[in-house]
Amino acid sequence: MPDPLLQPLAPSRRGDFSFRRGTTGIHVPSGHLSPIAEWEPGRTVVGALPFDHRTGTGDRLYATDLPLTPGTLAVGIGPEFTGAGVHPVAVDPGLEDAYTGAVRAALDPLVQENDLGKVVLGRAVRATLDQRPEWESLLRRLTARNRNAWVFSVPLGGAQAFLGASPELLISRRGDRIISHPLAGSAPRSSDPVEDCRRSERLTGSPKDHYEHAFVVDMIAETLAPWCAELEVPDQPELLATDKMWHLGSRITGRLRDPAAEGTDALSLARLLHPTPAVAGVPTREAMDRIHDLENADRRYFAGTAGWCDADGDGDWVVSIRAAEFDGDRVTAWAGAGIVDGSDPDSEFTETGAKLRTILEGLGIVPAKEFIHGHCSA
């Protein structure tokens, strides 16, 4: 139930910043966003960081003079915001052979040279829509379909904006308390309850997925440990469900040694952690080089991080997955899969398709399933 003490959240436009989960969220109108290069103590900042600065995509950070006061989403969650969709009139789904070929190319050094432990490969689907979507409707639709996800929208200037429904918390800070909840190891869900249960059981028992998950947990724990007086890391991951995917997740919690120290604000901690092996690989720099060689487009803000940090250094930053970038009536959606020794190229293609459906169906883009796999005749 929404908090009765919260005020209704104002509808968001493409040029605004929005960050919400469940029935609450924050909203900063475009008129209160001022581009900045970096956060400073005493300043409130919102925005997104790209996956890889080396491609030329810069940080998209904004200072605001408004307090980040949560509001309720209780009003307008019904059909007037979530009922109507948009349709693609031109589609580039990417070639299945191109993606599975890239996976096979990534597997060679994993198996033969042993210089990489994991590399995350993404693919993009691009579409031109029959109309410019109404922005608040997009966000409400994503929120309604992904109740446990962090739904974000970051303006990129003009008619461009980046939005998504991320299930993965990179870092949250409140005072001296921090939380990180990485996800790695995934399986598509099934509409058949019996098969859905089988898939969840296969995931929890999969050595390959546990191996992939351990890379991420170990990196986050090693990075946060020097800053913490206490750090609790689960021995085993838990099973988490979204509308389209099963995930292995680990909730890491800690207490900062000195929350007033430089580098302990939420944004600085996010910079320390990003990119994790969940979106890049292991070792990080070598994996990012391999991604640059094998992916056919710049990820820009996909697999980066989006969120906010207030004047006290508290804030939330999520891994910007299940995300899409809009430019007028054009949209580009991305999804990725972790490639380790034992990965199957066809299975990884299926996994990325299920992840793409989360964002595209959540946005009301119809028919999402068909054009993800290249079968749409539009």
Side-chain angles (χ1 to χ4, degrees), residues 80-323:
E80 69 272 26
F81 276 112
T82 62
V86 291
H87 293 73
V89 295
V91 173
D92 176 10
L95 297 175
E96 180 175 353
D97 288 348
Y99 184 76
T100 55
V103 173
R104 291 186 180 91
L107 282 169
D108 288 341
L110 292 173
V111 176
Q112 298 174 12
E113 302 171 20
N114 203 33
D115 63 341
L116 281 175
K118 173 184 176 180
V119 61
V120 180
L121 289 182
R123 67 182 180 100
V125 170
R126 299 173 178 83
T128 300
L129 306 178
D130 59 350
Q131 60 182 307
R132 287 195 180 193
E134 200 283 319
W135 209 249
E136 180 65 17
S137 294
L138 292 184
L139 298 179
R140 296 273 178 150
R141 182 185 290 272
L142 282 174
T143 302
R145 293 179 65 103
N146 303 275
R147 304 300 294 184
N148 293 318
W150 287 266
V151 174
F152 59 87
S153 175
V154 180
L156 302 180
Q160 295 182 309
F162 180 61
L163 82 167
S166 175
E168 186 167 2
L169 179 65
L170 181 63
I171 193 73
S172 176
R173 193 196 107 147
R174 299 293 186 276
D176 65 350
R177 301 291 174 172
I178 58 171
I179 302 171
S180 181
H181 201 160
L183 307 180
S186 306
R189 300 196 63 180
S190 171
S191 57
D192 178 354
V194 175
E195 174 60 22
D196 194 45
C197 184
R198 288 196 191 103
R199 292 183 183 184
S200 70
E201 291 172 350
R202 282 198 295 268
L203 179 61
T204 55
S206 165
K208 175 258 183 189
D209 287 287
H210 279 263
Y211 176 68
E212 179 184 341
H213 187 80
F215 278 129
V216 185
V217 173
D218 291 348
M219 176 269 186
I220 290 177
E222 290 171 4
T223 302
L224 292 177
W227 301 89
C228 292
E230 301 172 4
L231 190 66
E232 295 185 9
V233 182
D235 293 331
Q236 294 292 329
E238 60 184 344
L239 186 68
L240 300 176
T242 67
D243 63 333
K244 301 297 181 188
M245 300 295 298
W246 289 109
H247 295 286
L248 296 180
S250 292
R251 190 174 189 269
I252 300 169
T253 61
R255 184 171 63 85
L256 292 170
R257 195 181 309 279
D258 180 5
E262 183 178 356
T264 61
D265 60 273
L267 177 54
S268 294
L269 293 173
R271 288 190 186 279
L272 283 176
L273 294 173
H274 174 68
T276 74
V279 294
V282 178
T284 301
R285 189 57 57 189
E286 288 83 350
M288 293 175 77
D289 289 342
R290 198 71 175 141
I291 289 166
H292 179 76
D293 292 340
L294 294 175
E295 289 185 355
N296 61 1
D298 180 7
R299 293 183 180 185
R300 287 174 53 81
Y301 298 96
F302 168 72
T305 181
W308 59 272
C309 181
D310 70 13
D312 296 321
D314 291 343
D316 293 331
W317 292 84
V318 298
V319 182
S320 50
I321 54 176
R322 312 298 187 273

